[in-house]
Amino acid sequence: MKRYMNKFALAMAMVMGLSTLTSCEDDEWGNDNPDYQNVFIVAFADWGPKSNNDKTYTVNQGSQQVVPVQLWCEGTRSFDAQAFVYADSKLTLGVDYQVTDASGNVLQQDGNGAWVLTWDLRSPDNTNNHRVQELYVKALNGATGDVTLMTFDPKDVDADGKLRISNGGTKDDDTEYYVPNNKTSEYEVRCITVNYKVKVTIK
């Protein structure tokens, strides 16, 4: 957990100068700006060797792989927050693999093809502002291949397969961007383009 938090803190420091930088920790990241008090960041907890969407896991048939997802938020709120996780795969959900929570409950996708993760922000947090949930990708003794979990909708790419970002352009360099994942009347969840996906290879 400490390794995850250190990498996340480093990424935050790298982009503090960007006008798009936001976090719910308004005193440090928002310069006491109340507009950012309820803006949270969702990312995969393990950043991989180069911390640039290069984390991969391998799982054998009949086994499962845990994929931790974290929400960056300081303090408590009077509401829960939800973030979306998507899958990009040629494998068939429910036939070749399934996604469950830490209790083994099979998660169902919503109408947009996302799994909805809910974080309890009402309770005290002891994770140094990094609340973590665990998803499990289970291989169902079907076909082999890759399942890529993403905090972006995998359909949100241009004709060249580059990720579209909120200003209408595409991400084609190593610059970090913060873009929306979920927005409600109470809060906004954003994701970061250097750590928006992990790959699970089913053998």
Side-chain angles (χ1 to χ4, degrees):
M1 174 69 71
K2 184 176 181 181
R3 177 185 56 176
Y4 301 150
M5 292 187 291
N6 288 342
K7 285 190 174 183
F8 198 88
L10 177 61
M12 296 297 105
M14 289 168 56
V15 291
M16 282 182 67
L18 296 178
S19 62
T20 55
L21 175 64
T22 58
S23 167
C24 70
E25 191 172 355
D26 56 351
D27 57 341
E28 183 174 1
W29 306 110
N31 297 320
D32 296 314
N33 188 339
D35 292 342
Y36 297 134
Q37 182 178 5
N38 293 322
V39 179
F40 314 131
I41 304 297
V42 64
F44 292 101
D46 194 332
W47 287 55
K50 296 182 180 179
S51 300
N52 192 18
N53 298 302
D54 57 349
K55 178 60 184 178
T56 60
Y57 302 96
T58 301
V59 61
N60 294 322
Q61 295 290 354
S63 299
Q64 60 185 12
Q65 173 63 51
V66 60
V67 179
V69 184
Q70 65 185 13
L71 187 78
W72 173 265
C73 175
E74 182 200 24
T76 60
R77 301 293 187 274
S78 61
F79 51 81
D80 297 336
Q82 293 183 329
F84 302 128
V85 174
Y86 303 84
D88 185 19
S89 180
K90 295 180 179 179
L91 300 180
T92 302
L93 179 65
V95 176
D96 301 317
Y97 74 99
Q98 62 186 192
V99 175
T100 72
D101 62 17
S103 299
N105 301 308
V106 177
L107 301 181
Q108 302 298 322
Q109 293 175 311
D110 67 7
N112 295 317
W115 292 285
V116 182
L117 304 184
T118 301
W119 273 269
D120 176 11
L121 302 185
R122 305 168 194 265
S123 302
D125 173 54
N126 61 359
T127 65
N128 193 24
N129 309 331
H130 293 72
R131 292 168 167 85
V132 175
Q133 289 193 48
E134 294 180 337
L135 294 179
Y136 288 80
V137 177
K138 184 174 182 180
L140 298 179
N141 295 306
T144 61
D146 297 328
V147 178
T148 301
L149 298 182
M150 310 171 68
T151 55
F152 288 90
D153 188 331
K155 297 186 294 293
D156 193 21
V157 295
D158 67 8
D160 295 324
K162 294 179 180 178
L163 179 67
R164 285 194 289 265
I165 57 177
S166 55
N167 67 3
T170 59
K171 176 176 168 52
D172 56 4
D173 54 29
D174 293 329
T175 305
E176 296 86 358
Y177 297 95
Y178 288 85
V179 297
N181 174 278
N182 185 26
K183 187 173 183 179
T184 75
S185 60
E186 293 181 301
Y187 64 88
E188 181 176 353
V189 177
R190 298 185 180 186
C191 42
I192 182 171
T193 55
V194 296
N195 188 35
Y196 71 91
K197 65 180 179 179
V198 297
K199 182 170 68 174
V200 180
T201 298
I202 298 175
K203 290 189 172 182

